Amino acid sequence: MGTELLRSTAAELGAAIRAGETTSVAATEAYLDRVTEVDGEVRAFLHVDRETALEQARAVDARLAAGEDLGPLAGVPIAHKDVFTTTDMPTTAGSKILQDWRPPYDATVTARLRAAGLVILGKTNMDEFAMGSSTENSAYGASRNPWDLSRVPGGSSGGSSAAVAAYEAPLATGTDTGGSIRQPAAVCGLVGAKPTYGGSSRYGVIAFASSLDTPGPFARNVLDTALLHEAFSGHDPHDSTSVDAAVPPVVDAARRADVEGLRVGVVKELDAEGYQPGVLQRFHEAVELLEGLGAKVVEVSCPSFDTALAAYYLIAPSECSSNLARFDAMRYGLRVGDDGTRSAEEVMSLTRAEGFGPEVKRRIMLGTYALSSGYYDAYYGSAQQVRTLIKRDFDAAFGGVDVLVSPTTPTTAFSVGERASDPMAMYLADLCTIPTNLAGNAALSVPCGLAPEDGLPVGLQIMAPVLADDRTYRVGAAVEAALNSQRGSELLSGTAFAVH
Amino acid sequence: MSAITRDEVAHLARLSRLALHDDELDQLAAQLDVIISAVAKVQEVAQGDIPPSSHALPLTNVYRPDETHQGLGPDQALAGAPAVEDQRFRVPRILGEEA
């Protein structure tokens, strides 16, 4: 029974719980047992509290038994990236500076999903303050890719992607600042979405770069991803950047799964030399598949995309240097060197030096440099102009096509340690995903096969205009259905961690 | 030519409130030099007539009704504090010896 529950999609599991064929407690127990069984190897979770999870599950079962209509995912377990505040569990953002911190409030995403009856299994590992593309920057050690434990699960939401890919959770949340949902989804063979910026609330999400951070969903298929997207999205008065507009009909689009007559643009600048050959091969096959399904495919040029990475690595660190100023050792978190002889400023400097890891320090320093007098116009100001050019490129492209496609990542999952000492090599992992964050539009990554040279998953990125998230799901679901029918099974059924 | 000197890195560390060791300063000077050289290409495309975008979406000021709400209680607000005294945050001295 436990295995059957793990194999079910979130939609099936929710339906079975609503129909009384199983309970949230049974589903939660099955997943908690799975975590106990495999997380020693995968290391997806930073915090799991069996009793708290089962208590939530019992409460949901009671609400359902009382006739409450909680929606399609009621009773389904979920894992939250450790950047979402939770009142009943610690929230660390993968950093030593917040070790054991228990927030006094829930993030809007957390609160909405609790209200919809989802059960929190625990908190997942991440690159410290969401800075990284491999989860190796976590102060609590790296997570591993369930396809190959010597590889990274992507980042910064790598704990969430590893948990879902290893069947330790049917659903997970993440945040995408430069690709931190799409890239880990791609390298773990999952579906992951970056909603339109402002479509999902940042309230209670520990900030990295406020003009880019976007909470979003992970799941093993497109429909589950859409159900989760819909469950936590929508206007939030607690977040001044939240968009006051209806949530795009992503679930309907995922069910529609048809691309007949849709105009698909292949971004020339993201289909380039230097990418792993197997990644490009699977990407081109996916484009042919879309054409075979009735889409009209054209090549489009977005020339400013070539400078997106540079602009991102000025804008994101600048915002991070400002946001992380709040970790000052005064009101919460770690305090080091307070021996009665030192000033607040000295304690602050010692605490931040001890509490932050190397990547966070690097980005704070880079941001402080980019924002400092004399350099501001040359670096930060120019980067903001590049952001305008990227938005113009997207606007021009979407004038002629409905969606844009590219590989999600230039390579499959790289080995643990391979890029750890070379920041620029690590930053290249986000090459294809960053333009979307700068422009704020919607994007989704869906698995499009395994690279022939290493047998690891490749992601297809589908980008749509602001608040047209539904288009990405429509295309993603069509690709997923066609590939599953070609393969005769879902992609994850081929992993070492598959549930048989 | 190096874009960023070790002294400059030490100055940035002071501005950032990071007490870095000498070896960290050396390492960061080299790494920041590489990163800054790589990101400097933004200057090639940016022209004076392109308006900067600070944000992906147009932002407008948001107001809420001026109503009282229940906030965090003192115990909740102080729960994560590194040091507490008399229901207040206890902090190291803020004024210098000469003040």
Side-chain angles (χ1 to χ4, degrees):
Chain A
M1 185 61 191
T3 306
E4 212 172 286
L5 293 173
L6 299 182
R7 259 204 316 260
S8 301
T9 68
E12 290 165 351
L13 192 54
I17 292 169
R18 271 200 314 286
E21 292 158 14
T22 188
T23 61
S24 180
V25 167
T28 304
E29 271 180 340
Y31 275 103
L32 288 167
D33 290 348
R34 176 70 174 173
V35 172
T36 307
E37 187 191 334
V38 304
D39 207 53
E41 290 182 273
V42 180
R43 304 183 210 168
F45 283 89
L46 289 179
H47 179 86
V48 177
D49 178 346
R50 194 177 181 92
E51 253 329 291
T52 303
L54 288 172
E55 204 176 292
Q56 295 172 55
R58 282 190 288 269
V60 173
D61 281 335
R63 288 169 71 189
L64 290 169
E68 257 190 84
D69 180 12
L70 296 174
L73 295 177
V76 176
I78 187 166
H80 283 307
K81 184 177 184 179
D82 204 28
V83 74
F84 291 92
T85 55
T86 41
T87 48
D88 50 358
M89 297 178 189
T91 303
T92 69
S95 181
K96 210 161 45 161
I97 212 162
L98 281 176
Q99 191 159 11
D100 301 324
W101 180 60
R102 289 198 177 242
Y105 66 106
D106 266 337
T108 295
V109 166
T110 321
R112 283 187 180 165
L113 294 179
R114 276 192 213 274
L118 283 91
V119 172
I120 307 173
L121 291 170
K123 306 295 284 291
T124 59
N125 199 13
M126 56 181 285
D127 283 299
E128 186 177 5
F129 289 106
M131 297 176 201
S133 307
S134 66
T135 316
E136 291 167 290
N137 294 332
S138 166
Y140 305 99
S143 296
R144 302 295 172 136
N145 191 318
W147 288 82
D148 175 348
L149 293 172
S150 72
R151 310 266 182 161
V152 302
S156 64
S157 315
S160 286
S161 62
V164 177
Y167 290 83
E168 294 178 77
L171 300 169
T173 52
T175 53
D176 193 313
T177 304
S180 286
I181 291 174
R182 290 160 287 160
Q183 183 256 4
V187 302
C188 285
L190 302 176
V191 181
K194 187 208 91 72
T196 293
Y197 176 83
S200 53
S201 170
R202 291 186 298 106
Y203 180 74
V205 180
I206 297 173
F208 161 19
S210 304
S211 77
L212 305 164
D213 296 345
T214 313
F218 281 101
R220 296 194 288 262
N221 66 52
V222 175
L223 178 61
D224 286 357
T225 311
L227 287 166
L228 182 56
H229 183 139
E230 198 166 83
F232 65 63
S233 298
H235 181 241
D236 177 14
H238 284 123
D239 174 359
S240 65
T241 57
S242 170
V243 176
D244 194 358
V247 179
V250 291
V251 174
D252 288 347
R255 290 208 167 100
R256 185 170 167 197
D258 121 64
V259 293
E260 183 70 48
L262 211 72
R263 296 164 303 163
V264 175
V266 176
V267 184
K268 198 173 91 182
E269 286 75 14
L270 300 179
D271 180 11
E273 281 175 32
Y275 286 35
Q276 188 177 322
V279 167
L280 282 183
Q281 186 187 327
R282 292 297 178 236
F283 168 65
H284 291 140
E285 287 167 8
V287 172
E288 280 168 31
L289 180 76
L290 283 168
E291 219 161 10
L293 293 171
K296 231 177 116 180
V297 176
V298 293
E299 189 183 79
V300 299
S301 178
C302 297
S304 301
F305 282 19
D306 285 340
T307 41
L309 192 72
Y312 174 86
Y313 278 100
L314 287 163
I315 292 171
S318 296
E319 293 186 15
C320 117
S321 69
S322 168
N323 271 324
L324 268 55
R326 72 188 52 150
F327 298 99
D328 59 5
M330 299 299 130
R331 293 148 298 144
Y332 52 89
L334 186 72
R335 181 182 288 180
V336 171
D338 184 17
D339 60 2
T341 69
R342 293 192 174 97
S343 69
E345 193 180 314
E346 287 168 319
V347 169
M348 210 179 284
S349 297
L350 288 169
T351 302
R352 287 162 62 82
E354 172 90 17
F356 291 142
E359 181 61 28
V360 172
K361 287 178 187 168
R362 201 150 42 224
R363 295 205 197 184
I364 289 175
M365 299 278 282
L366 183 57
T368 306
Y369 179 81
L371 292 175
S372 59
S373 165
Y375 299 112
Y376 182 94
D377 287 338
Y379 291 107
Y380 186 70
S382 299
Q384 303 279 48
Q385 288 180 306
V386 170
R387 175 161 19 201
T388 304
L389 294 175
I390 286 166
K391 283 163 72 171
R392 287 179 182 170
D393 274 2
F394 270 117
D395 287 346
F398 288 130
V401 298
D402 299 300
V403 294
L404 293 168
V405 293
S406 77
T408 309
T409 58
T411 70
T412 55
F414 47 90
S415 297
V416 174
E418 189 185 309
R419 301 187 189 180
S421 59
D422 183 351
M424 281 316 296
M426 185 71 86
Y427 296 171
L428 286 171
D430 300 331
L431 188 66
C432 308
T433 48
I434 275 173
T436 290
N437 294 88
L438 290 170
N441 52 308
L444 179 105
S445 179
V446 65
C448 64
L450 303 177
E453 60 268 51
D454 54 20
L456 292 169
V458 175
L460 169 71
Q461 178 177 224
I462 305 150
M463 297 167 272
V466 165
L467 290 174
D469 304 50
D470 49 318
R471 289 186 205 169
T472 68
Y473 283 92
R474 196 175 141 192
V475 176
V479 170
E480 177 184 74
L483 287 175
N484 284 349
S485 127
Q486 270 178 22
R487 276 193 294 261
S489 67
E490 288 175 3
L491 192 73
L492 276 180
S493 59
T495 70
F497 284 81
V499 178
H500 296 292
Chain B
M1 193 191 103
S2 176
I4 184 161
T5 64
R6 190 182 178 285
D7 284 350
E8 224 168 343
V9 174
H11 178 59
L12 290 174
R14 278 192 298 277
L15 292 176
S16 308
R17 303 282 186 267
L18 286 167
L20 299 181
H21 302 299
D22 285 349
D23 54 339
E24 282 182 297
L25 291 176
D26 289 333
Q27 209 182 2
L28 272 166
Q31 288 175 341
L32 290 179
D33 197 44
V34 172
I35 298 169
I36 288 164
S37 306
V39 298
K41 71 191 283 191
V42 293
Q43 297 168 53
E44 295 163 19
V45 286
Q47 304 293 326
D49 58 349
I50 302 163
S53 300
S54 65
H55 220 263
L57 303 173
L59 291 180
T60 49
N61 211 350
V62 177
Y63 298 94
R64 64 171 169 78
D66 187 16
E67 292 165 353
T68 54
H69 291 278
Q70 185 67 45
L72 293 180
D75 290 343
Q76 284 174 298
L78 293 166
V84 174
E85 199 175 303
D86 297 335
Q87 260 206 356
R88 292 178 177 85
F89 294 97
R90 191 182 67 73
V91 299
R93 67 181 165 80
I94 288 167
L95 300 176
E97 294 293 339
E98 68 281 4

